[in-house]
Amino acid sequence: SQQGEEDPQALSIQEGENATMNCSYKTSINNLQWYRQNSGRGLVHLILIRSNEREKHSGRLRVTLDTSKKSSSLLITASRAADTASYFCATDAGGNNRLAFGKGNQVVVIP
Amino acid sequence: GAVVSQHPSRVICKSGTSVKIECRSLDFQATTMFWYRQFPKKSLMLMATSNEGSKATYEQGVEKDKFLINHASLTLSTLTVTSAHPEDSSFYICSAPKTGGTGELFFGEGSRLTVL
């Protein structure tokens, strides 16, 4: 089964607001990654957080990881219309870069 | 710019025909590439791991004779959907690991296959 089940799956916010999405997984991991996908396009890597890290920042992105709860969250601050996309978390499924993706969160930022 | 190129981006074919999708790493070598399949509004399902110079490793439930994978060079992997049927219609995406062992993947832009 897929790891990385995000909740909620759809989010609609106003430009300037923050968007938060969560991800849970089932097995132990080496790292957890977040990717973005615009409709009908490939995925773009956003940020990677290692299992020994608890929080990481990259620009307007903030990722947290709680290995005890097997969960992660992605926060996008000061959202922009261009942030409209689907966001997926992914965990390494046994090493060798084999990532297992969750269901994804569709985020719509209204201008 | 794109570091993984995938072609074609869209293809329409008749039932029973075979379709080949190419995935190229640009400016870097990829001994391993990954093929994913994605249904509308769904997540990505890993189909197989393409290994340069050796056989691909297929995930459970993926028919290897249906989805032929060839990784003939360090920059090219191909996925051939053989004897395509309408249920094979999907979005196929390839990826290659970033060099340096960071765990990050570069993805192609995907190929939308429609089987009539």
Side-chain angles (χ1 to χ4, degrees), chain B residues 7-75:
Chain B
H7 177 80
S9 58
R10 293 178 181 273
V11 57
I12 300 173
C13 69
K14 296 181 179 180
S15 288
T17 60
S18 295
V19 173
K20 180 185 286 187
I21 301 169
E22 293 186 348
C23 181
R24 294 181 184 273
S25 58
L26 307 179
D27 299 326
F28 74 101
Q29 295 180 337
T31 57
T32 301
M33 291 184 179
F34 302 95
W35 287 95
Y36 288 84
R37 181 175 182 177
Q38 185 179 32
F39 292 100
K41 299 187 185 301
K42 298 292 185 183
S43 188
L44 283 73
M45 181 189 77
L46 179 62
M47 298 174 65
T49 301
S50 175
N51 303 300
E52 189 270 334
S54 64
K55 293 182 179 180
T57 306
Y58 289 82
E59 297 298 311
Q60 189 174 7
V62 178
E63 300 176 61
K64 60 182 65 176
D65 295 330
K66 174 75 171 175
F67 299 101
L68 298 180
I69 291 173
N70 184 277
H71 196 146
S73 77
L74 288 169
T75 59

Side-chain angles (χ1 to χ4, degrees), chain A residues 1 3 63 65 89 93-94 103-104 106 111:
Chain A
S1 61
Q3 298 203 75
V63 170
L65 178 64
C89 79
K103 297 177 185 176
Q106 186 173 5

Side-chain angles (χ1 to χ4, degrees), chain A:
Chain A
S1 61
Q2 291 284 335
Q3 298 203 75
E5 299 175 350
E6 295 87 75
D7 176 40
Q9 294 189 336
L11 184 64
S12 182
I13 58 174
Q14 294 290 328
E15 200 166 32
E17 294 181 340
N18 296 340
T20 300
M21 57 208 90
N22 299 306
C23 166
S24 61
Y25 56 92
K26 297 178 180 177
T27 64
S28 60
I29 61 172
N30 292 323
N31 64 66
L32 184 144
Q33 303 178 40
W34 285 90
Y35 287 81
R36 166 197 169 124
Q37 183 183 35
N38 285 13
S39 181
R41 306 293 294 274
L43 278 74
V44 176
H45 180 265
L46 295 176
I47 195 165
L48 179 153
I49 186 166
R50 302 200 180 282
S51 60
N52 61 352
E53 297 176 309
R54 292 297 167 260
E55 187 171 314
K56 200 165 184 178
H57 297 252
S58 177
R60 293 185 294 113
L61 305 179
R62 174 177 166 253
V63 170
T64 64
L65 178 64
D66 187 335
T67 52
S68 66
K69 296 181 179 178
K70 291 186 169 58
S71 67
S72 173
S73 68
L74 172 67
L75 167 69
I76 304 173
T77 60
S79 63
R80 305 167 181 169
D83 294 330
T84 295
S86 292
Y87 294 83
F88 295 89
C89 79
T91 55
D92 58 338
N96 295 323
N97 297 303
R98 286 175 62 247
L99 297 185
F101 284 82
K103 297 177 185 176
N105 281 271
Q106 186 173 5
V107 175
V108 175
V109 181
I110 302 167

